[in-house]
């Protein structure tokens, strides 16, 4: 018996737990990527689910740094030595947790107050294969500020 081959739907993954920021990011990604689906994940588990869904091919990720690991969980921000949940997501993707296909996935990582230490932590997960595929941004007010991040995801 032959298996059924399913066509994957292209999508951009937005990982954000703050409702207003999520709304702005979805609007911006919709303008930058009008032809593909935008998926919102409000925590790390939802991001994992999207990256593991065989029906969807994630073309890029716009991720905040601080959000819960699971629904209703404590927000994991950048004040710890390891960084926030967004930093952890970058680490997991670059280490191959979601397979070789996503190892070089474009990721626009953002945080409310960016500093060199945060940037160094996030960028430390890139290797020769994924070099240049992660970029750090300061969070914006309004959808227009996120369009530059979306443009980066168009690699």
């Amino acid at each position: 018996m032959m298996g059924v081959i399913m066509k994957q739907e292209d999508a951009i993954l937005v990982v954000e737990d703050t409702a207003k920021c999520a709304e702005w990011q979805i609007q911006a990604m919709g303008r930058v990527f009008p032809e593909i689906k935008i998926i919102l994940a409000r925590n790390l588990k939802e991001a994992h689910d999207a990256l593991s869904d065989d029906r969807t091919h994630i073309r890029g990720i716009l991720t905040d740094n601080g959000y819960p690991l699971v629904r209703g969980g404590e927000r994991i921000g950048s004040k710890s030595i390891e960084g926030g949940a967004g930093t952890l997501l970058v680490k997991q993707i670059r280490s191959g947790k979601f397979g070789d296909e996503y190892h070089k996935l474009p990721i626009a990582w953002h945080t409310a107050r960016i500093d060199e230490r945060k940037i160094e932590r996030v960028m430390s997960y890139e290797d020769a294969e994924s070099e240049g595929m992660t970029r750090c941004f300061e969070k914006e007010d309004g959808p227009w500020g996120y369009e530059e991040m979306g443009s980066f995801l168009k690699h």
Side-chain angles (χ1 to χ4, degrees):
M1 181 176 185
M2 293 178 48
V4 176
I5 297 174
M6 292 178 21
K7 185 176 187 307
Q8 289 183 315
E9 182 177 20
D10 283 343
I12 294 295
L13 178 59
V14 172
V15 190
E16 175 64 66
D17 67 325
T18 304
K20 190 64 177 173
C21 293
E23 181 182 324
W24 290 335
Q25 291 168 37
I26 290 168
Q27 287 174 12
M29 294 308 102
R31 283 197 285 271
V32 176
F33 297 97
E35 73 286 359
I36 66 174
K37 179 179 177 178
I38 309 300
I39 297 172
L40 174 63
R42 291 186 173 89
N43 57 57
L44 189 63
K45 178 171 182 335
E46 290 178 12
H48 283 190
D49 291 347
L51 286 161
S52 300
D53 186 343
D54 291 337
R55 299 167 297 179
T56 306
H57 175 258
I58 304 298
R59 285 186 29 189
I61 297 178
L62 176 65
T63 184
D64 187 17
N65 186 49
Y67 45 84
L69 300 179
V70 294
R71 186 176 182 181
E74 182 181 344
R75 191 170 195 277
I76 307 299
S78 60
K79 297 203 185 333
S80 74
I81 227 114
E82 297 83 22
T87 302
L88 176 58
L89 181 61
V90 172
K91 178 181 181 181
Q92 292 170 336
I93 290 167
R94 297 295 179 236
S95 71
K97 179 177 178 75
F98 302 100
D100 292 338
E101 175 185 12
Y102 287 147
H103 180 75
K104 296 181 278 191
L105 186 68
I107 302 172
W109 173 95
H110 59 86
T111 186
R113 284 177 288 295
I114 201 161
D115 64 41
E116 287 303 314
R117 195 188 84 218
K118 288 182 185 180
I119 293 171
E120 287 173 12
R121 187 180 312 129
V122 173
M123 301 304 285
S124 71
Y125 299 119
E126 285 201 338
D127 58 19
E129 288 183 22
S130 62
E131 187 175 355
M133 300 306 287
T134 306
R135 186 161 168 206
C136 301
F137 296 87
E138 193 160 278
K139 193 177 258 193
E140 300 284 346
D141 285 331
W144 52 88
Y146 294 100
E147 288 180 16
E148 179 185 355
M149 297 178 204
S151 295
F152 169 76
L153 297 178
K154 283 196 156 192
H155 267 83

